[in-house]
Amino acid sequence: MAVKAIDISTAGIRFGYAIETTAGTKPSAFTNFANPKSIPDLSPEPNGLDTSSLNIEAGGYKTYIEGLKDVGGSIGIGFGMSQLLLDTWNNMCEASKAAEAQSKRTWFVFYHPALDKSFFMTGQPSKLGFPEAEVDTVWDATAYVMPTGELGWDSSINPTDPVSA
């Protein structure tokens, strides 16, 4: 059966985290963060390494091989500011740091209910600071995660209903 190319809404996207219980093994249960509002593009452009020869064998064009990919350092995830976010995020940061001392990683998941795969990455979260505030606006915060390795789509674990924080 052919899959139809129908655009989907961003409504319903969830963002969660889990800390390895066994070092080196992706967790299967994730905790959702309440009220995510924005997620950056995590489709890194690979660096092109120039493999051009002094001989003009490529018809006068440079040739390349794929190099390293870069998501740009820390990524910022936007949230509505709340006491729940502050407590959940900073508690997760402390647990992540303690797990790191035991060679365990923190995993993050981006999930959409209309997709049969979720996007996973390992990372180191940074504690929240005091977010920018302006008169007569909704108070939003950006929480940062530094990707540390594995990054990509996977259907082996699809947290269809992660635990909510």
Side-chain angles (χ1 to χ4, degrees):
M1 182 172 123
V3 177
K4 294 182 181 180
I6 299 174
D7 294 348
I8 55 178
S9 167
T10 57
I13 291 177
R14 297 178 186 173
F15 171 67
Y17 80 96
I19 296 172
E20 293 177 342
T21 53
T22 303
T25 303
K26 184 189 303 181
S28 58
F30 288 77
T31 300
N32 256 351
F33 284 99
N35 206 13
K37 290 189 169 185
S38 65
I39 297 168
D41 183 358
L42 294 171
S43 299
E45 178 182 359
N47 191 19
L49 303 178
D50 189 344
T51 59
S52 303
S53 170
L54 292 175
N55 296 330
I56 306 179
E57 296 171 359
Y61 291 95
K62 287 186 169 189
T63 57
Y64 296 90
I65 59 171
E66 186 174 300
L68 298 175
K69 297 176 184 171
D70 184 5
V71 292
S74 289
I75 61 165
I77 297 125
F79 292 95
M81 185 59 183
S82 67
Q83 186 65 50
L84 178 60
L85 172 66
L86 180 63
D87 293 344
T88 304
W89 190 269
N90 285 339
N91 289 341
M92 184 252 325
C93 287
E94 290 173 13
S96 179
K97 188 171 186 132
E100 190 178 322
Q102 300 174 0
S103 299
K104 295 178 181 176
R105 300 175 295 176
T106 303
W107 287 79
F108 296 90
V109 62
F110 302 90
Y111 166 78
H112 193 294
L115 301 176
D116 66 358
K117 295 179 181 178
S118 294
F119 194 85
F120 294 90
M121 68 178 220
T122 57
Q124 294 174 328
S126 296
K127 283 194 171 186
L128 285 176
F130 193 87
E132 176 184 5
E134 295 182 29
V135 172
D136 199 29
T137 61
V138 173
W139 199 17
D140 288 334
T142 303
Y144 291 94
V145 174
M146 176 76 67
T148 58
E150 295 187 44
L151 189 90
W153 293 96
D154 189 0
S155 59
S156 64
I157 301 169
N158 199 9
T160 55
D161 194 20
V163 178
S164 290

